[in-house]
Amino acid sequence: MPSDLVFERPASGERAVLVQLDLGGAVALDEREEFDQLARAAGAEVVGTLGGTRARPDARLFIGSGKADELKDLVAAAGADLVVFNHPLSPAQERNLERLLECRVVDRTGLILDIFAQRARSFEGKLQVELAQLRHLSTRLVRGWTHLERQKGGIGLRGPGETQLETDRRLLAKRIALLKRRLEGIESQRAQGRRAREKAELPVISVVGYTNAGKSTLFNRLTEAGVFEADQLFATLDPTLRRLALPNGGRALLADTVGFVSRLPHELVAAFRATLEETRNASLLLHVVDASAGHRARLISDVETVLAEIGSMDIPRLEVWNKLDLLADEPPRLERDSVGQPTRVWLSARSGAGIDLLLTAIAELTGGANTRHQVRLGPGDGRLRAWVYAHARVLADAPDAEGGWTMEILIAPADLQRFLAHEPERAQVLLH
């Protein structure tokens, strides 16, 4: 191809060739399978794959000139209009590859950003994804609009003083600034909500884990929230908060979060920082692990890497080994450490087996200080009786001879203090 020929990028195309090199060591089979799942999750029709081994990436084409020619022949033979690399590419490498292959080239970051763009549903989620995409695009603007950076010379054809590329960069910067301001406003609202929850002393339990580990299925099982769930990567992106009733009468808020993945793009971590703030401010993390995955040790390590990046490694964690229904002869169980603290629960969110063990573990880790009280209410205390049912676990409730009720309850100390503060004339109602 002549060096002065400018390659115009195709606007669309889903027939893809996947490229995965072994750089400095063999890539595990599960990582190759995950790459294939990511491509299909983005809507790609995989028509070919290319592997290879290099000690280090080639500066100009990443895969080297010989392998690039092989890739060009594969693209032509398969009729592909897209090449996806399971590696981060520099803007220059993407541009050089596109000129050589005459088709679009997307790296791992661009692929994950595309999936997030398809899955975002809430206003905040769409803003976060757009911000991440624009940040990624701002370093690659020269590639997407190569034909705009040239200005024609000659009389009557000279530019107006600012190239189209410079105009695009300026408009892009303005759009990024606008999105950041909007997200800061949403984050301010989130901060108010967190302060209200802290004032109410409700513990927040954040569900984290590798994508497709079953987080949304578990969340729906615990809260009946109706969050979308599917056997695919990044099925849900938008965070959801729901109230959770615990066996000891305590209450908590359960937060579903975006799934993690190995080498999660920094643009996404930065854009979703406000959402992930729920994780950093949680009282307890439920780390959901796919117990049926043979490579679960790597998945756990990848999740911990992201938790460290967002500053959540010091938060207490309870491992939830999910998908027990896919394993033979593995009963639901609760594992404890040497001092008796719950550390791991084996369960199936799909069937519900072991959910009671999980609730018991959560109650111990977040609301173990609930105390038992006897409540005597008069005939006119119906509103107070409804409050007790809403804020405590009722162990017994029997009518008395005067038309009132005698109740045995378990209640959190914070709720007890709120009751006494708001109902001083009824303080004698609660007796140890």
Side-chain angles (χ1 to χ4, degrees):
M1 180 183 298
S3 60
D4 61 344
L5 179 61
V6 177
F7 170 62
E8 300 288 349
R9 307 188 69 206
S12 62
E14 298 179 345
R15 293 176 57 83
V17 170
L18 308 185
V19 179
Q20 167 75 72
L21 296 187
D22 296 339
L23 296 174
V27 176
L29 178 61
D30 63 273
E31 292 187 65
R32 295 183 185 277
E33 292 174 350
E34 179 184 275
F35 178 37
D36 183 84
Q37 292 175 14
L38 283 171
R40 296 180 191 279
E45 177 190 351
V46 179
V47 295
T49 59
L50 180 70
T53 303
R54 286 188 65 89
R56 64 185 61 86
D58 177 72
R60 191 173 72 88
L61 294 170
F62 190 87
I63 55 177
S65 57
K67 187 64 74 170
D69 289 337
E70 182 182 344
L71 178 58
K72 182 177 182 180
D73 293 339
L74 177 59
V75 168
D81 41 28
L82 173 67
V83 172
V84 185
F85 279 70
N86 196 24
H87 309 276
L89 299 177
S90 71
Q93 288 169 336
E94 283 192 11
R95 183 170 65 250
N96 293 336
L97 285 165
E98 286 185 336
R99 282 174 170 163
L100 174 66
L101 302 175
E102 300 185 50
C103 71
R104 277 188 309 134
V105 174
V106 177
D107 68 355
R108 180 182 176 86
T109 297
L111 175 64
I112 296 177
L113 286 172
D114 185 83
I115 297 173
F116 272 56
Q118 294 180 45
R119 304 284 167 78
R121 293 292 179 267
S122 70
F123 176 68
E124 179 185 10
K126 291 177 180 179
L127 288 182
Q128 289 170 327
V129 171
E130 183 182 355
L131 177 60
Q133 287 181 310
L134 292 182
R135 280 173 168 164
H136 183 66
L137 178 62
S138 64
T139 65
R140 287 158 163 76
L141 194 58
V142 64
R143 177 204 62 180
W145 286 269
T146 308
H147 60 292
L148 299 180
E149 64 179 323
R150 299 186 178 189
Q151 288 215 290
K152 297 179 180 179
I155 296 174
L157 295 176
R158 293 187 176 91
E162 180 180 49
T163 67
Q164 182 63 54
L165 185 60
E166 289 170 340
T167 303
D168 290 338
R169 286 189 175 127
R170 178 168 49 80
L171 294 175
L172 198 64
K174 290 178 64 175
R175 180 63 180 172
I176 289 175
L178 174 63
L179 291 174
K180 290 173 68 175
R181 287 197 300 271
R182 289 182 176 177
L183 285 170
E184 286 171 0
I186 295 175
E187 167 56 16
S188 177
Q189 296 174 0
R190 281 189 176 277
Q192 291 178 1
R194 281 194 292 269
R195 286 193 293 270
R197 293 194 294 272
E198 291 170 359
K199 186 176 180 180
E201 299 186 22
L202 284 177
V204 176
I205 304 164
S206 188
V207 183
V208 301
Y210 210 83
T211 182
N212 206 30
K215 297 183 305 302
S216 295
T217 303
L218 178 65
F219 188 84
N220 287 336
R221 172 68 65 175
L222 292 172
T223 65
E224 299 181 356
V227 172
F228 175 73
E229 54 187 80
D231 185 17
Q232 59 185 23
L233 303 183
F234 301 118
T236 54
L237 297 183
D238 300 314
T240 306
L241 278 170
R242 290 292 185 273
R243 191 179 294 256
L244 177 66
L246 300 175
N248 62 353
R251 294 171 299 126
L253 286 177
L254 195 64
D256 190 18
T257 61
V258 63
F260 299 157
V261 70
S262 62
R263 292 176 283 154
L264 191 66
H266 290 287
E267 291 92 340
L268 279 175
V269 174
F272 278 77
R273 188 164 295 277
T275 300
L276 296 173
E277 198 78 11
E278 297 291 352
T279 298
R280 195 163 66 178
N281 289 282
S283 306
L284 175 68
L285 300 182
L286 298 186
H287 180 178
V288 182
V289 179
D290 182 353
S292 67
H295 52 285
R296 59 195 178 206
R298 178 183 69 83
L299 304 185
I300 292 173
S301 176
D302 288 339
V303 170
E304 290 180 345
T305 297
V306 178
L307 290 177
E309 187 172 353
I310 63 177
S312 299
M313 279 297 288
D314 294 333
I315 299 173
R317 290 198 300 281
L318 175 65
E319 288 189 359
V320 180
W321 286 42
N322 187 28
K323 302 190 180 181
L324 204 60
D325 51 301
L326 301 181
L327 299 177
D329 303 323
E330 284 287 357
R333 59 189 182 275
L334 171 59
E335 297 180 2
R336 299 176 181 272
D337 60 17
S338 58
V339 297
Q341 283 280 83
T343 57
R344 180 181 298 163
V345 181
W346 293 69
L347 56 75
S348 169
R350 181 70 64 189
S351 69
I355 291 296
D356 56 334
L357 299 175
L358 175 61
L359 289 172
T360 297
I362 293 174
E364 290 186 31
L365 294 171
T366 61
N370 284 7
T371 53
R372 188 180 185 120
H373 299 270
Q374 186 184 71
V375 181
R376 291 175 183 165
L377 303 178
D381 289 330
R383 181 182 62 84
L384 199 54
R385 182 168 175 262
W387 186 95
V388 170
Y389 266 96
H391 294 82
R393 182 184 178 191
V394 178
L395 303 177
D397 183 6
D400 57 29
E402 289 77 26
W405 302 271
T406 299
M407 309 172 72
E408 291 285 340
I409 66 170
L410 282 174
I411 189 168
D415 284 329
L416 176 60
Q417 291 302 317
R418 269 195 299 277
F419 171 79
L420 296 177
H422 288 90
E423 301 283 347
E425 72 282 1
R426 304 295 306 171
Q428 73 279 8
V429 169
L430 291 177
L431 305 175
H432 287 280

